[in-house]
Amino acid sequence: MLHLIVSTITFEKQQITHAWWQQWRSHILRLYLLIVVILLAFSIAGHIRLLNEIGKTFGGFTWMVDPDRKDGALILITTPPQLPLFAISANSLTSTTHIVAVDGHTGGAGIQYVYQHTRPDATVTYSARMDSSKHIYNYVRPTTQFTWDIWWQTFGLTFFAGASWLIVGAIVLATSTEWTGGVEGITLIPPGMLLLLYSHWGNIQTAYAPDLVVQLLWIPSFALLGAAFIHLSLNYRPSAMSSTRTPNWLVDGLPYAPLGALLLFEWLSLLFLGHVPLRINIILSLSYAAIGGLISLSIGITSLWQIAGFWSPTRRVRHRVPQHIRHYVSDLLTLWIGGVGLGFCFGVLPILLVGQTLLPLSLFYVLAAAYPLILLYAIRSLRLIGRLHTTIDQREEALNEQKKTAQALQYTNKELQQATDLLLHADANLRSILSQRIHDQPKQQALRIRSQLGYWQHKLRMEAERDASGKVAAQPIIDSLGKVRKISEELEGDLRGLQLLVEDAYQRKSLGLRLHLEKLINEDLPMLHLESSLKVQADLWALDALSPGSESTLEGERIAEAISYTVTQALLNIYNHAGATIATVHTSCNDDMITVQISDDGRGFTTNTIEPEKISLFKARLKVQAARGRLDIVSTPYRKASDGIEGQNNPNTLYHQHGTTITLQIPLSTQQTDLPNTTPHPAIAASTQHEQRTSEQPK
């Protein structure tokens, strides 16, 4: 049990969610413990008074001097369960019987004198009179000795029962994660108070007058118990449990408001009369306890009715109570209503009517001590179940948020893909227009300049050879024209290289993809890199799978664009960076899947150490993805020799399995429904049409 309590407190400390309660819970717990210490001190003081009576003679019942009677009449309180019942009944709301004399002696001093001078098993005559009758009846009863067993079953069990309520209340309060759980612990004070202070109620042999503990604490604890019932039932309403709440006057203060009037009556009576009228005080306190029980029962039944869905406070719209709140409230209300009902029927109501409980006091006290332990187990289990439901709800909310985020990401990804397609389409159009302009205007002009310069250079040379007098100084002009022609050739070469960099889309559309790549591999790139010793072996027969008019469709244009751009950029990288001697371009077509593989025996590189966007084939990968294809790059760098020198001139370098292989796979037929919206943006489309109209104007 101790391990359960410690583990529960340790676990609950990690689950505090409300900032206000997290700040004030320790202060309220300290106040609660202070109240517990005060009640235990008062209870122990009463038990010390009773333990001093052990071994003394008494009449087999507990009694008290009625402070309301001036003649010092006695009131019978209760008879220990192990002793025979007394013919005189205990006081109740229906009847009041006073013992006016004991063996002829009156008052508390008289009964104390008789008991002090009487041995156990001696007979004593009690003269009693009911308030409704003027006749005095005599009753004979043998005396007995007050023993430990009588103390234990009559008073000792009440101490442990009250301590059980207060300990459970402290645990519930210490482990609560919000104010609602704190109310569950605070409302356990009245039952514990009622049981602990019972040690002050009644005398054995010595005549003690009703002390202030009885008048100001124990009797009002009945009214406090009724207020706690109302408070707890208001706390367990579904509307109060649906959200984390803070203390407020209507729920947490109003049930205790009538206690102010009761306390005012007690203190004024104590001030003016010197004591509180016993019967009136008991009737007022028990009446409010009964009223509180009935109000609490009504509120609890209403809450259960609302949980079942038969009634809603709004009347128009029936709000469905969450499942974990329904389980929590229904189980605890059932447990509280059952416990309060049993306690009221077997304890409070019989005391009000006949002055004693239906069950034996010892059994009643044992049940009262066991009930808070059952309540603690139920509260702890229901809290764990509630926390599990809360966790499940939070997980569901998180999953819903993740679904919304995933949908938003999918939508964003779709928009990004559409934007990428639009950019690639615009890039292809702009490069095509740029390639056409380079081919039609600067390149043709450079070719015409070179032709004219060659013609005049040759003509001037012929004229100089014919003039025997040598008056025509044509050699400087010829040299100047040669330099201009050389500059024109260099300009033409630079324009050709620039055209290759932007990919000759104009040439590809004019010649077709296969012829364009063959011209690129066999003529354009070797002319651009005359100093390179690279030999490129091309096998492009599989490109015939693309029909001549395939680029007239968007799908065919994407495929041709991806293949042409990838091959061009790959070969440019091989020429400029790889330092390779042999490169191959191999194509194949199987099951409507065209595969292009570009490989070389160059120095290679480590693909894992280079970010994808920094590789020159990054745009090629985007183009391949736009064509529903796949681009893989596998590269194996040179291995360093033992001397740390890397390269082909080092004899210690291992040359096998080095170089780069680029594999391109594109399906020839794709579902049109799988393609994203590739309709060009109106601004891009307008710009493209304007550029095409400009390029088609006659020169």
Side-chain angles (χ1 to χ4, degrees), residues 387-433:
R387 188 174 298 109
L388 179 61
H389 280 288
T390 303
T391 303
I392 293 175
D393 294 340
Q394 291 176 353
R395 294 287 179 85
E396 290 180 354
E397 291 179 1
L399 288 176
N400 293 333
E401 292 295 331
Q402 289 181 357
K403 289 180 180 179
K404 292 180 181 179
T405 305
Q407 293 176 357
L409 289 176
Q410 290 178 356
Y411 181 75
T412 304
N413 186 26
K414 184 177 180 181
E415 290 185 342
L416 180 61
Q417 188 174 3
Q418 292 177 357
T420 303
D421 293 338
L422 292 175
L423 290 176
L424 293 176
H425 183 74
D427 177 70
N429 287 336
L430 292 177
R431 286 189 294 102
S432 176
I433 294 172

Short mmCIF file of all heavy atoms in Angstrom, two decimals, residues 387-433:
data_model
loop_
_atom_site.label_atom_id
_atom_site.label_comp_id
_atom_site.label_asym_id
_atom_site.label_seq_id
_atom_site.Cartn_x
_atom_site.Cartn_y
_atom_site.Cartn_z
N ARG A 387 -6.67 9.83 -18.01
CA ARG A 387 -5.43 10.27 -18.65
C ARG A 387 -5.18 9.48 -19.94
O ARG A 387 -4.68 10.02 -20.92
CB ARG A 387 -4.27 10.09 -17.68
CG ARG A 387 -2.96 10.70 -18.18
CD ARG A 387 -1.87 10.61 -17.13
NE ARG A 387 -2.26 11.38 -15.94
CZ ARG A 387 -2.60 10.83 -14.79
NH1 ARG A 387 -2.61 9.52 -14.66
NH2 ARG A 387 -2.93 11.58 -13.76
N LEU A 388 -5.53 8.20 -19.92
CA LEU A 388 -5.39 7.39 -21.13
C LEU A 388 -6.30 7.92 -22.23
O LEU A 388 -5.88 8.04 -23.39
CB LEU A 388 -5.70 5.93 -20.82
CG LEU A 388 -5.62 4.94 -21.98
CD1 LEU A 388 -4.21 4.91 -22.56
CD2 LEU A 388 -6.03 3.55 -21.54
N HIS A 389 -7.55 8.24 -21.87
CA HIS A 389 -8.47 8.81 -22.86
C HIS A 389 -7.94 10.15 -23.37
O HIS A 389 -8.02 10.42 -24.58
CB HIS A 389 -9.85 8.99 -22.24
CG HIS A 389 -10.66 7.73 -22.17
ND1 HIS A 389 -11.22 7.14 -23.28
CD2 HIS A 389 -11.00 6.95 -21.11
CE1 HIS A 389 -11.87 6.06 -22.92
NE2 HIS A 389 -11.76 5.91 -21.60
N THR A 390 -7.40 10.96 -22.46
CA THR A 390 -6.85 12.25 -22.89
C THR A 390 -5.68 12.06 -23.84
O THR A 390 -5.56 12.76 -24.85
CB THR A 390 -6.41 13.06 -21.65
OG1 THR A 390 -7.52 13.21 -20.76
CG2 THR A 390 -5.89 14.42 -22.07
N THR A 391 -4.82 11.08 -23.51
CA THR A 391 -3.69 10.80 -24.40
C THR A 391 -4.16 10.33 -25.76
O THR A 391 -3.62 10.74 -26.81
CB THR A 391 -2.78 9.73 -23.75
OG1 THR A 391 -2.36 10.19 -22.46
CG2 THR A 391 -1.56 9.48 -24.62
N ILE A 392 -5.19 9.46 -25.76
CA ILE A 392 -5.72 8.98 -27.04
C ILE A 392 -6.32 10.14 -27.83
O ILE A 392 -6.11 10.24 -29.06
CB ILE A 392 -6.77 7.88 -26.78
CG1 ILE A 392 -6.09 6.63 -26.19
CG2 ILE A 392 -7.49 7.52 -28.07
CD1 ILE A 392 -7.05 5.55 -25.78
N ASP A 393 -7.05 11.02 -27.14
CA ASP A 393 -7.62 12.18 -27.83
C ASP A 393 -6.52 13.08 -28.38
O ASP A 393 -6.62 13.59 -29.52
CB ASP A 393 -8.51 12.98 -26.88
CG ASP A 393 -9.76 12.20 -26.46
OD1 ASP A 393 -10.11 11.25 -27.18
OD2 ASP A 393 -10.35 12.54 -25.42
N GLN A 394 -5.47 13.28 -27.58
CA GLN A 394 -4.36 14.10 -28.07
C GLN A 394 -3.68 13.44 -29.27
O GLN A 394 -3.28 14.12 -30.23
CB GLN A 394 -3.36 14.32 -26.95
CG GLN A 394 -3.88 15.21 -25.83
CD GLN A 394 -2.91 15.34 -24.68
OE1 GLN A 394 -1.88 14.65 -24.64
NE2 GLN A 394 -3.21 16.21 -23.73
N ARG A 395 -3.53 12.09 -29.20
CA ARG A 395 -2.95 11.40 -30.35
C ARG A 395 -3.83 11.55 -31.59
O ARG A 395 -3.32 11.75 -32.70
CB ARG A 395 -2.77 9.91 -30.02
CG ARG A 395 -1.74 9.65 -28.92
CD ARG A 395 -0.33 9.86 -29.42
NE ARG A 395 0.67 9.64 -28.39
CZ ARG A 395 1.18 8.46 -28.08
NH1 ARG A 395 0.78 7.39 -28.74
NH2 ARG A 395 2.09 8.35 -27.14
N GLU A 396 -5.14 11.44 -31.39
CA GLU A 396 -6.03 11.61 -32.53
C GLU A 396 -5.94 13.02 -33.09
O GLU A 396 -5.92 13.21 -34.32
CB GLU A 396 -7.47 11.30 -32.10
CG GLU A 396 -7.72 9.82 -31.80
CD GLU A 396 -9.15 9.56 -31.39
OE1 GLU A 396 -9.90 10.55 -31.22
OE2 GLU A 396 -9.51 8.38 -31.22
N GLU A 397 -5.89 14.01 -32.19
CA GLU A 397 -5.73 15.38 -32.67
C GLU A 397 -4.40 15.55 -33.40
O GLU A 397 -4.33 16.22 -34.44
CB GLU A 397 -5.81 16.35 -31.49
CG GLU A 397 -7.19 16.45 -30.86
CD GLU A 397 -7.22 17.41 -29.68
OE1 GLU A 397 -6.15 17.99 -29.39
OE2 GLU A 397 -8.30 17.57 -29.07
N ALA A 398 -3.34 14.93 -32.85
CA ALA A 398 -2.03 15.02 -33.52
C ALA A 398 -2.08 14.35 -34.89
O ALA A 398 -1.52 14.85 -35.87
CB ALA A 398 -0.95 14.40 -32.64
N LEU A 399 -2.77 13.19 -34.95
CA LEU A 399 -2.89 12.50 -36.24
C LEU A 399 -3.69 13.34 -37.23
O LEU A 399 -3.34 13.42 -38.41
CB LEU A 399 -3.56 11.14 -36.05
CG LEU A 399 -2.71 10.06 -35.36
CD1 LEU A 399 -3.53 8.79 -35.15
CD2 LEU A 399 -1.46 9.74 -36.17
N ASN A 400 -4.76 13.97 -36.74
CA ASN A 400 -5.53 14.84 -37.62
C ASN A 400 -4.68 16.02 -38.11
O ASN A 400 -4.75 16.39 -39.29
CB ASN A 400 -6.77 15.35 -36.90
CG ASN A 400 -7.77 14.24 -36.61
OD1 ASN A 400 -7.82 13.24 -37.33
ND2 ASN A 400 -8.55 14.39 -35.56
N GLU A 401 -3.89 16.59 -37.19
CA GLU A 401 -3.00 17.67 -37.60
C GLU A 401 -1.96 17.19 -38.60
O GLU A 401 -1.64 17.89 -39.56
CB GLU A 401 -2.31 18.27 -36.37
CG GLU A 401 -3.24 19.02 -35.43
CD GLU A 401 -3.84 20.25 -36.09
OE1 GLU A 401 -3.19 20.83 -36.98
OE2 GLU A 401 -4.96 20.63 -35.72
N GLN A 402 -1.45 15.97 -38.36
CA GLN A 402 -0.48 15.42 -39.31
C GLN A 402 -1.13 15.17 -40.67
O GLN A 402 -0.51 15.40 -41.72
CB GLN A 402 0.10 14.12 -38.76
CG GLN A 402 1.04 14.33 -37.57
CD GLN A 402 1.60 13.02 -37.06
OE1 GLN A 402 1.25 11.94 -37.55
NE2 GLN A 402 2.47 13.10 -36.07
N LYS A 403 -2.39 14.70 -40.65
CA LYS A 403 -3.08 14.50 -41.92
C LYS A 403 -3.27 15.82 -42.64
O LYS A 403 -3.06 15.91 -43.86
CB LYS A 403 -4.43 13.83 -41.67
CG LYS A 403 -4.33 12.37 -41.24
CD LYS A 403 -5.71 11.77 -41.02
CE LYS A 403 -5.61 10.32 -40.59
NZ LYS A 403 -6.96 9.73 -40.34
N LYS A 404 -3.68 16.85 -41.87
CA LYS A 404 -3.84 18.16 -42.50
C LYS A 404 -2.50 18.67 -43.02
O LYS A 404 -2.44 19.22 -44.13
CB LYS A 404 -4.41 19.14 -41.47
CG LYS A 404 -5.84 18.83 -41.06
CD LYS A 404 -6.33 19.86 -40.04
CE LYS A 404 -7.75 19.55 -39.59
NZ LYS A 404 -8.25 20.52 -38.59
N THR A 405 -1.44 18.46 -42.22
CA THR A 405 -0.11 18.89 -42.68
C THR A 405 0.32 18.13 -43.92
O THR A 405 0.89 18.70 -44.86
CB THR A 405 0.91 18.70 -41.55
OG1 THR A 405 0.47 19.39 -40.38
CG2 THR A 405 2.27 19.23 -41.96
N ALA A 406 0.04 16.80 -43.92
CA ALA A 406 0.40 15.98 -45.09
C ALA A 406 -0.38 16.44 -46.32
O ALA A 406 0.18 16.52 -47.42
CB ALA A 406 0.12 14.51 -44.80
N GLN A 407 -1.67 16.74 -46.15
CA GLN A 407 -2.45 17.24 -47.27
C GLN A 407 -1.91 18.59 -47.76
O GLN A 407 -1.82 18.82 -48.97
CB GLN A 407 -3.91 17.36 -46.86
CG GLN A 407 -4.59 16.02 -46.59
CD GLN A 407 -6.01 16.19 -46.08
OE1 GLN A 407 -6.47 17.31 -45.88
NE2 GLN A 407 -6.71 15.08 -45.89
N ALA A 408 -1.56 19.44 -46.79
CA ALA A 408 -0.99 20.74 -47.18
C ALA A 408 0.34 20.56 -47.90
O ALA A 408 0.62 21.24 -48.90
CB ALA A 408 -0.81 21.63 -45.95
N LEU A 409 1.16 19.61 -47.40
CA LEU A 409 2.43 19.35 -48.07
C LEU A 409 2.22 18.77 -49.46
O LEU A 409 2.95 19.11 -50.41
CB LEU A 409 3.28 18.39 -47.22
CG LEU A 409 3.85 18.98 -45.92
CD1 LEU A 409 4.57 17.90 -45.13
CD2 LEU A 409 4.81 20.12 -46.22
N GLN A 410 1.23 17.87 -49.58
CA GLN A 410 0.94 17.33 -50.91
C GLN A 410 0.48 18.42 -51.86
O GLN A 410 0.89 18.45 -53.02
CB GLN A 410 -0.13 16.24 -50.79
CG GLN A 410 0.36 14.96 -50.11
CD GLN A 410 -0.74 13.93 -49.97
OE1 GLN A 410 -1.90 14.20 -50.31
NE2 GLN A 410 -0.40 12.76 -49.47
N TYR A 411 -0.38 19.30 -51.33
CA TYR A 411 -0.84 20.40 -52.17
C TYR A 411 0.33 21.32 -52.55
O TYR A 411 0.46 21.73 -53.71
CB TYR A 411 -1.92 21.18 -51.43
CG TYR A 411 -2.48 22.34 -52.22
CD1 TYR A 411 -3.37 22.14 -53.26
CD2 TYR A 411 -2.12 23.65 -51.90
CE1 TYR A 411 -3.89 23.21 -53.98
CE2 TYR A 411 -2.63 24.73 -52.62
CZ TYR A 411 -3.51 24.49 -53.65
OH TYR A 411 -4.01 25.55 -54.37
N THR A 412 1.18 21.61 -51.55
CA THR A 412 2.35 22.45 -51.84
C THR A 412 3.30 21.76 -52.81
O THR A 412 3.86 22.40 -53.72
CB THR A 412 3.09 22.77 -50.52
OG1 THR A 412 2.18 23.37 -49.61
CG2 THR A 412 4.25 23.71 -50.77
N ASN A 413 3.48 20.44 -52.61
CA ASN A 413 4.34 19.69 -53.52
C ASN A 413 3.79 19.70 -54.94
O ASN A 413 4.53 19.81 -55.92
CB ASN A 413 4.48 18.26 -53.01
CG ASN A 413 5.50 17.45 -53.82
OD1 ASN A 413 6.41 18.02 -54.42
ND2 ASN A 413 5.33 16.15 -53.83
N LYS A 414 2.45 19.58 -55.03
CA LYS A 414 1.83 19.63 -56.35
C LYS A 414 2.05 20.99 -57.00
O LYS A 414 2.38 21.08 -58.19
CB LYS A 414 0.34 19.32 -56.22
CG LYS A 414 -0.39 19.25 -57.54
CD LYS A 414 -1.85 18.88 -57.33
CE LYS A 414 -2.58 18.81 -58.67
NZ LYS A 414 -4.02 18.47 -58.47
N GLU A 415 1.85 22.05 -56.20
CA GLU A 415 2.09 23.39 -56.75
C GLU A 415 3.55 23.59 -57.12
O GLU A 415 3.86 24.19 -58.16
CB GLU A 415 1.67 24.44 -55.71
CG GLU A 415 0.17 24.53 -55.49
CD GLU A 415 -0.19 25.66 -54.54
OE1 GLU A 415 0.72 26.12 -53.82
OE2 GLU A 415 -1.36 26.09 -54.54
N LEU A 416 4.46 23.07 -56.27
CA LEU A 416 5.88 23.18 -56.58
C LEU A 416 6.23 22.42 -57.85
O LEU A 416 7.03 22.90 -58.67
CB LEU A 416 6.70 22.66 -55.40
CG LEU A 416 8.22 22.70 -55.54
CD1 LEU A 416 8.71 24.12 -55.74
CD2 LEU A 416 8.90 22.08 -54.33
N GLN A 417 5.62 21.24 -58.01
CA GLN A 417 5.89 20.47 -59.22
C GLN A 417 5.36 21.19 -60.45
O GLN A 417 6.01 21.20 -61.51
CB GLN A 417 5.24 19.08 -59.08
CG GLN A 417 5.61 18.12 -60.21
CD GLN A 417 5.06 16.73 -59.96
OE1 GLN A 417 4.36 16.51 -58.99
NE2 GLN A 417 5.38 15.81 -60.84
N GLN A 418 4.17 21.78 -60.30
CA GLN A 418 3.64 22.55 -61.42
C GLN A 418 4.53 23.75 -61.74
O GLN A 418 4.80 24.05 -62.91
CB GLN A 418 2.22 23.02 -61.10
CG GLN A 418 1.20 21.90 -61.01
CD GLN A 418 -0.18 22.40 -60.62
OE1 GLN A 418 -0.35 23.58 -60.36
NE2 GLN A 418 -1.15 21.50 -60.58
N ALA A 419 5.01 24.43 -60.67
CA ALA A 419 5.90 25.56 -60.90
C ALA A 419 7.20 25.11 -61.55
O ALA A 419 7.74 25.79 -62.45
CB ALA A 419 6.19 26.27 -59.57
N THR A 420 7.73 23.94 -61.11
CA THR A 420 8.95 23.41 -61.73
C THR A 420 8.73 23.10 -63.20
O THR A 420 9.58 23.38 -64.06
CB THR A 420 9.41 22.15 -60.98
OG1 THR A 420 9.59 22.47 -59.60
CG2 THR A 420 10.72 21.63 -61.54
N ASP A 421 7.58 22.48 -63.49
CA ASP A 421 7.27 22.17 -64.90
C ASP A 421 7.16 23.44 -65.73
O ASP A 421 7.65 23.50 -66.87
CB ASP A 421 5.97 21.38 -64.99
CG ASP A 421 6.10 19.99 -64.38
OD1 ASP A 421 7.25 19.51 -64.29
OD2 ASP A 421 5.08 19.40 -63.99
N LEU A 422 6.53 24.45 -65.14
CA LEU A 422 6.42 25.72 -65.87
C LEU A 422 7.79 26.34 -66.11
O LEU A 422 8.07 26.85 -67.20
CB LEU A 422 5.52 26.68 -65.10
CG LEU A 422 4.03 26.32 -65.00
CD1 LEU A 422 3.31 27.30 -64.11
CD2 LEU A 422 3.39 26.28 -66.38
N LEU A 423 8.65 26.29 -65.08
CA LEU A 423 9.99 26.85 -65.24
C LEU A 423 10.80 26.08 -66.27
O LEU A 423 11.52 26.67 -67.08
CB LEU A 423 10.70 26.86 -63.89
CG LEU A 423 10.16 27.84 -62.84
CD1 LEU A 423 10.90 27.67 -61.53
CD2 LEU A 423 10.31 29.27 -63.34
N LEU A 424 10.70 24.75 -66.21
CA LEU A 424 11.42 23.94 -67.21
C LEU A 424 10.89 24.21 -68.61
O LEU A 424 11.67 24.27 -69.58
CB LEU A 424 11.30 22.45 -66.86
CG LEU A 424 12.00 21.99 -65.58
CD1 LEU A 424 11.71 20.53 -65.31
CD2 LEU A 424 13.51 22.21 -65.70
N HIS A 425 9.58 24.33 -68.73
CA HIS A 425 9.01 24.62 -70.04
C HIS A 425 9.47 25.99 -70.54
O HIS A 425 9.86 26.14 -71.71
CB HIS A 425 7.49 24.57 -69.93
CG HIS A 425 6.79 24.80 -71.24
ND1 HIS A 425 6.75 23.84 -72.24
CD2 HIS A 425 6.10 25.87 -71.71
CE1 HIS A 425 6.07 24.32 -73.28
NE2 HIS A 425 5.66 25.55 -72.97
N ALA A 426 9.44 26.98 -69.63
CA ALA A 426 9.91 28.30 -70.04
C ALA A 426 11.40 28.29 -70.37
O ALA A 426 11.85 28.94 -71.32
CB ALA A 426 9.62 29.30 -68.92
N ASP A 427 12.18 27.52 -69.59
CA ASP A 427 13.62 27.42 -69.86
C ASP A 427 13.88 26.80 -71.22
O ASP A 427 14.74 27.26 -71.98
CB ASP A 427 14.27 26.58 -68.75
CG ASP A 427 15.75 26.36 -68.99
OD1 ASP A 427 16.52 27.33 -68.88
OD2 ASP A 427 16.13 25.21 -69.30
N ALA A 428 13.10 25.74 -71.53
CA ALA A 428 13.29 25.10 -72.84
C ALA A 428 12.93 26.06 -73.97
O ALA A 428 13.63 26.14 -74.99
CB ALA A 428 12.44 23.84 -72.92
N ASN A 429 11.82 26.81 -73.80
CA ASN A 429 11.43 27.75 -74.85
C ASN A 429 12.46 28.87 -75.03
O ASN A 429 12.82 29.22 -76.15
CB ASN A 429 10.06 28.36 -74.50
CG ASN A 429 8.93 27.37 -74.69
OD1 ASN A 429 9.05 26.42 -75.46
ND2 ASN A 429 7.83 27.58 -73.98
N LEU A 430 12.96 29.39 -73.90
CA LEU A 430 13.93 30.48 -73.99
C LEU A 430 15.24 29.99 -74.61
O LEU A 430 15.86 30.69 -75.42
CB LEU A 430 14.18 31.06 -72.59
CG LEU A 430 12.99 31.80 -71.97
CD1 LEU A 430 13.34 32.26 -70.56
CD2 LEU A 430 12.60 33.00 -72.83
N ARG A 431 15.66 28.77 -74.21
CA ARG A 431 16.90 28.25 -74.82
C ARG A 431 16.71 27.95 -76.30
O ARG A 431 17.63 28.13 -77.11
CB ARG A 431 17.35 27.00 -74.08
CG ARG A 431 17.96 27.30 -72.71
CD ARG A 431 18.60 26.08 -72.06
NE ARG A 431 17.62 25.08 -71.72
CZ ARG A 431 17.41 23.97 -72.42
NH1 ARG A 431 18.11 23.76 -73.51
NH2 ARG A 431 16.50 23.10 -72.06
N SER A 432 15.52 27.49 -76.66
CA SER A 432 15.26 27.25 -78.08
C SER A 432 15.30 28.54 -78.88
O SER A 432 15.91 28.62 -79.96
CB SER A 432 13.90 26.57 -78.23
OG SER A 432 13.58 26.40 -79.60
N ILE A 433 14.68 29.59 -78.32
CA ILE A 433 14.70 30.89 -79.01
C ILE A 433 16.12 31.45 -79.06
O ILE A 433 16.56 31.98 -80.10
CB ILE A 433 13.75 31.85 -78.29
CG1 ILE A 433 12.30 31.36 -78.42
CG2 ILE A 433 13.88 33.26 -78.84
CD1 ILE A 433 11.32 32.14 -77.59
#
